[in-house]
Amino acid sequence: MAKGKVDYGVYLVTDSTPAILGNKDLTSVVEAALQGGVTIVQYRDKLSDRETAVKTARALHEVTRRFGVPLLVNDRVDVAVEVGCEGVHIGQDDMAYEEARKLLGPDKIIGVTASSIQEALKACEAGADYLGLGTVYATSTKKDTKSIIGPAGIRSILLGLSSAGHSIPTVCIGGINGSNATSVLAESSAAPAKSLDGIAVVSAIVAAVDPAAAARDLLGKVVAGRVPDVIKAVAATTPLSHNMTNLVVQNFAANVALAVGGSPIMANYAEEAADLAKLGGALVINMGTVTPEGLKNHIQALQAYNAAGGPVVLDPVGAGATSIRRNAVKTLLSSGKFTVIKGNEGEIQTVYGASVTQRGVDSASSLTIPQRASLAKAVARSTGAVVVLTGTTDVVSDGVRTLRVDNGHEFLGRVTGTGCTLGTTISVMEAAFRSDPLFAAVAGMVLFEIAAERAAVRDDVRGPGTFVPAFIDELSAVRTETVKGDVAWLAKAKIE
Ligand code: 3NM
């Protein structure tokens, strides 16, 4: 597991004391939390003897490895060395960073606790891989905390780090739970400082009646918390959205790309792709109205963007409708790599290789939400892409993290081209925010769907016809509000 690839989003710290764990089994709680979406685990045990600690750490490591998630050990470096897990977390009163690094070697993760900018800078300069910032709020889980710094204290450390030029990952800890996570993330990460990379919790998951549900809820909040970062990254770069799309949506897609902050070009001729791929944008390959000539163009452009390292969004429109389209999907998937594959249930089933028959491009749903989540996850794993499976409840997965997005409005289903323009919206986000394609995709989805909700209830909207211009207005308004720092609209986001 490469150190640079670690996802600090939902960071579970364990506690085996009966007051928090109750009579549950720690390994089972960690496994459930991983199913819910925990992205990194720290085994923290101040009481057990060495033999018990090694045994517990080994059992936890077996579980975390199955999920491809790193396991760190709190303080007890010798236990981490013996178990061979991915690293340690050390507090200010624990072993010195340099000594821990000597024992662990250069490839292991070492995180350090910091309560002030001085401690944070010292840890950065020593070479720490991430910082745990706290204590945010007083918590009965750790009674000996020295300073309660609140979200404002976290924000000032983040500001200090960014003005010193450090981009080290950070999480905050202390009293974080499902009720305050959204406001802690927003208040801690207020512009212009770098944002927190995640939240670390003990009791919000370990003491929860349903640790998987608690973890899922926190993951949704962490992902929602990054939406403004994505939209601001778009505003900072106005990225190119190169659309190779169908005849029906050319104009609508170009207008949506503009409204969400992108710079659209509708260019179906692949000879242009090599030049366009150098402009730092993203490509949308939309298979609607496919022709043999079109497919050749798609393959050539896909390969040009792959060579330039630019994101590519595949929209396999009507993929299951005809054998021509089913074969076109297969050909495209074997010709290059996609960053995002977006489609409805029939389309994603076709990408999966299932033999489904779609009537047209409209969507019919026969799977339950958990089945849709499994399908999205499986396709993400087999293709390496983020999969966006649209429907009344959308599902998005990168093969590790799987989320549901429950926003949108029925008018989106009564106007042609909205699915295609969601692909365009996502391409703009992917172009601007390369560090996490899942965050970028979710940002595109909630921006798009909440704009639709706002448009649908406007007084001047009387049906699908008047909805379209209002929708474009609202896309632009939501984006502008976000760039100005007003993210009240995000309270409507239903990400879980
Ligand atoms: N470290 P809960 S606060 C383990 O401030 C730990 O460094 C802290 O527990 C620090 O999520 C803390 O239950 C306990 O509040 C956090």
Side-chain angles (χ1 to χ4, degrees), residues 120-144:
L121 289 173
K122 185 166 168 252
C124 277
E125 275 141 31
D129 294 301
Y130 76 91
L131 298 175
L133 306 178
T135 306
V136 184
Y137 299 122
T139 169
S140 57
T141 312
K142 188 174 193 296
K143 296 196 177 73
D144 61 344

Side-chain angles (χ1 to χ4, degrees), residues 2 8 40 109 113 146 165 210 217 266 273 277 296 311 324 335 354 359 364 400 409 425 442 465 467 481-482:
Y8 293 94
I40 177 165
I109 302 165
T113 300
K146 288 181 217 140
D210 183 346
D217 176 52
M266 319 313 274
K296 265 194 237 147
I324 295 285
S335 303
R359 192 162 54 89
V400 179
H409 190 275
T425 301
V442 172
F467 169 75
E481 287 162 28
T482 310

Side-chain angles (χ1 to χ4, degrees), residues 8 19-20 51 64 157 183 200 210 216 224 232 259 351 368 380 401 451 460:
Y8 293 94
I20 292 178
E51 195 185 334
T64 56
I157 297 175
S183 65
D210 183 346
R216 203 162 44 238
K232 285 177 193 165
V351 172
T368 62
R401 297 165 294 178
D460 56 341

Side-chain angles (χ1 to χ4, degrees), residues 143-391:
K143 296 196 177 73
D144 61 344
T145 49
K146 288 181 217 140
S147 20
I148 309 296
I149 59 175
I154 304 290
R155 188 168 64 231
S156 88
I157 297 175
L158 292 174
L159 268 168
L161 286 170
S162 52
S163 49
H166 292 295
S167 57
I168 187 166
T170 53
V171 297
C172 67
I173 186 161
I176 316 291
N177 56 46
S179 310
N180 62 21
T182 299
S183 65
V184 168
L185 285 163
E187 288 168 36
S188 304
S189 302
K194 73 192 273 309
S195 293
L196 285 168
D197 292 275
I199 49 177
V201 301
V202 181
S203 48
I205 290 177
V206 182
V209 178
D210 183 346
R216 203 162 44 238
D217 176 52
L218 291 170
L219 178 63
K221 287 177 168 134
V222 168
V223 175
R226 300 304 297 274
V227 168
D229 292 346
V230 177
I231 295 173
K232 285 177 193 165
V234 169
T237 52
T238 318
L240 187 78
S241 170
H242 172 180
N243 287 249
M244 300 183 91
T245 194
N246 63 72
L247 303 170
V248 182
V249 301
Q250 300 273 356
N251 177 273
F252 188 16
N255 279 331
V256 167
L258 284 168
V260 301
S263 169
I265 182 162
M266 319 313 274
N268 285 339
Y269 181 35
E271 290 298 323
E272 293 180 294
D275 286 347
L276 292 172
K278 291 186 195 129
L279 301 178
L283 172 68
V284 181
I285 294 182
N286 178 306
M287 266 181 37
T289 60
V290 68
T291 60
E293 193 60 31
L295 181 58
K296 265 194 237 147
N297 279 307
H298 289 165
I299 293 167
Q300 189 179 337
L302 168 66
Q303 291 171 347
Y305 273 77
N306 279 176
V312 186
V313 177
L314 173 64
D315 193 341
V317 180
T322 63
S323 63
I324 295 285
R325 290 194 194 209
R326 277 193 288 275
N327 286 333
V329 169
K330 270 195 209 137
T331 308
L332 280 169
L333 289 173
S334 61
S335 303
K337 264 192 69 61
F338 291 95
T339 317
V340 176
I341 301 174
K342 179 213 74 73
N344 61 33
E345 194 174 294
E347 290 161 355
I348 298 298
Q349 278 180 313
T350 305
V351 172
Y352 188 52
S355 168
V356 288
T357 308
Q358 282 185 278
R359 192 162 54 89
V361 297
D362 54 343
S363 51
S365 180
S366 60
L367 301 178
T368 62
I369 291 175
Q371 286 170 329
R372 289 155 66 83
S374 304
L375 172 65
K377 192 170 175 176
V379 175
R381 290 212 165 155
S382 67
T383 59
V386 168
V387 171
V388 175
L389 199 170
T390 57

